[in-house]
Amino acid sequence: MNIQNVTVAGGGVLGSQIAYQAAFKAFNVTLYDINQQALTAAKNRITALRGGYKQDLNVTDSDFDNGLAHLNYTDDIDSTVSHADLVIEAIPENAAMKTTFYNQIGNSAPDTAIFASNSSTMLPSQFAEATGRPERFLNMHFTNHIWVNNTAEIMGSPKTNSAVYQDVVTFAKNMGMVPIQLKKEQPGYVLNSMLTPLMVAGMSLWATDVADPHTIDKTWMIATGAPMGPFAILDMIGTRTAITVPLAQAGDPDGKIAAAIKAKLQQRLDDGKLGIESGEGFYHYPNPEFQDPDFLKA
């Protein structure tokens, strides 16, 4: 299948990045969100990507503007999916919400359209039947700062057609991604299966007052040579997403540590400390403390 017309549903932090990256690679992209207020927020997020693309990819303003020219916005989901070759769902991690969404677009999209979920925690088999096209449905998970952290983890269900799977692999390559092809369903894919335990371990140390976030990050960075610790990564992911991270790995059968983590994250959310998106999380942006040469010194 020749994928040219792409609908991205959900203009949050990652949805807006997916939409712009596809448009930057000259696909015809329509970004859908539920109302004009949400679309305005998505437009602002995309406008804010200009500096990152210029700094990290050495693109010109003209190059960035060419990407914008391939991008449209709408709050009418039925009309935009009616001509879609591929619909990438990037709505919140809520099973009921996703099921309702797939029930709706299944009636409006062409029979040839492929549906892909960017879900970071849920499996394609959970929603395959709700799409009405289980053989043309799979997951395609992207990573924040998509233009530099350019992986696309592709995971089908047992019912996903192999040719459809390969079409999405090809699309991911053409979008500038490195396709990470999973052989079977796995909650958390490859990346989050490794990353989530690290983040939960860091948050558990913080929630139980063992150490503060900067000390935890400093320890990880010095001991492993990593460029970031778990709290810098949390800032990149964003507090809104971090608060949805499964906390089964917190290691407390009674759930007290998990509850403490949730409460601390909720307080930061209430205070507007959203991470890079708001300019403040566990660090201050655009010049976070962990990038200071003195951060790792005694």
Side-chain angles (χ1 to χ4, degrees):
M1 181 180 181
N2 182 22
I3 296 173
Q4 290 296 327
N5 299 315
V6 179
T7 295
V8 177
V13 172
L14 196 48
S16 59
Q17 291 181 26
I18 295 168
Y20 180 76
Q21 177 66 23
F24 182 69
K25 290 296 183 176
F27 290 96
N28 301 318
V29 181
T30 301
L31 177 58
Y32 160 79
D33 218 317
I34 56 174
N35 54 43
Q36 289 299 317
Q37 182 179 0
L39 289 174
T40 297
K43 290 177 184 179
N44 291 338
R45 291 186 184 101
I46 289 172
T47 299
L49 297 177
R50 184 184 296 268
Y53 273 74
K54 291 175 68 174
Q55 176 178 325
D56 298 324
L57 302 183
N58 296 316
V59 306
T60 64
D61 283 315
S62 178
D63 294 331
F64 191 84
D65 289 340
N66 284 338
L68 294 177
H70 285 88
L71 181 59
N72 294 295
Y73 302 85
T74 186
D75 58 2
D76 183 349
I77 187 60
D78 292 323
S79 65
T80 189
V81 301
S82 66
H83 62 273
D85 300 319
L86 172 66
V87 179
I88 302 175
E89 171 264 305
I91 67 177
E93 291 287 87
N94 179 292
M97 187 181 298
K98 289 179 186 292
T99 298
T100 299
F101 173 79
Y102 286 122
N103 285 335
Q104 178 182 1
I105 66 169
N107 296 323
S108 303
D111 291 340
T112 55
I114 298 170
F115 294 171
S117 177
N118 180 57
S119 175
S120 60
T121 61
M122 300 179 189
L123 301 177
S125 58
Q126 292 179 248
F127 306 103
E129 296 304 324
T131 68
R133 59 190 74 202
E135 74 287 351
R136 304 187 70 78
F137 175 67
L138 42 62
N139 281 16
M140 181 165 53
H141 178 249
F142 298 90
T143 303
N144 203 356
H145 286 196
I146 188 174
W147 63 97
V148 287
N149 300 328
N150 61 323
T151 59
E153 297 181 285
I154 302 170
M155 176 170 63
S157 80
K159 295 185 178 181
T160 303
N161 181 280
S162 59
V164 169
Y165 187 100
Q166 289 305 316
D167 284 342
V168 173
V169 168
T170 299
F171 167 77
K173 292 178 180 177
N174 292 340
M175 191 182 163
M177 300 292 103
V178 176
I180 307 300
Q181 300 182 52
L182 277 72
K183 298 179 179 180
K184 60 188 291 187
E185 289 186 312
Q186 165 65 30
Y189 307 78
V190 175
L191 176 60
N192 284 339
S193 292
M194 297 185 289
L195 181 60
T196 299
L198 169 65
M199 294 193 300
V200 172
M203 290 190 291
S204 297
L205 292 168
W206 169 52
T208 55
D209 297 321
V210 173
D212 63 82
H214 288 197
T215 298
I216 295 165
D217 277 9
K218 183 185 298 187
T219 304
W220 183 255
M221 293 166 70
I222 294 173
T224 67
M228 293 181 177
F231 289 94
I233 295 171
L234 284 166
D235 274 357
M236 182 175 69
I237 294 170
T239 307
R240 275 194 284 253
T241 299
I243 204 167
T244 69
V245 169
L247 296 174
Q249 299 96 335
D252 55 324
D254 58 7
K256 289 183 178 179
I257 297 175
I261 292 171
K262 287 282 190 183
K264 281 179 170 283
L265 289 175
Q266 185 62 53
Q267 184 60 58
R268 300 184 75 81
L269 195 64
D270 294 343
D271 292 341
K273 296 179 180 180
L274 307 181
I276 294 175
E277 178 186 2
S278 66
E280 182 180 0
F282 294 97
Y283 298 92
H284 297 83
Y285 298 88
N287 300 302
E289 293 85 341
F290 69 86
Q291 290 183 348
D292 189 310
D294 292 331
F295 184 74
L296 299 183
K297 294 181 181 178

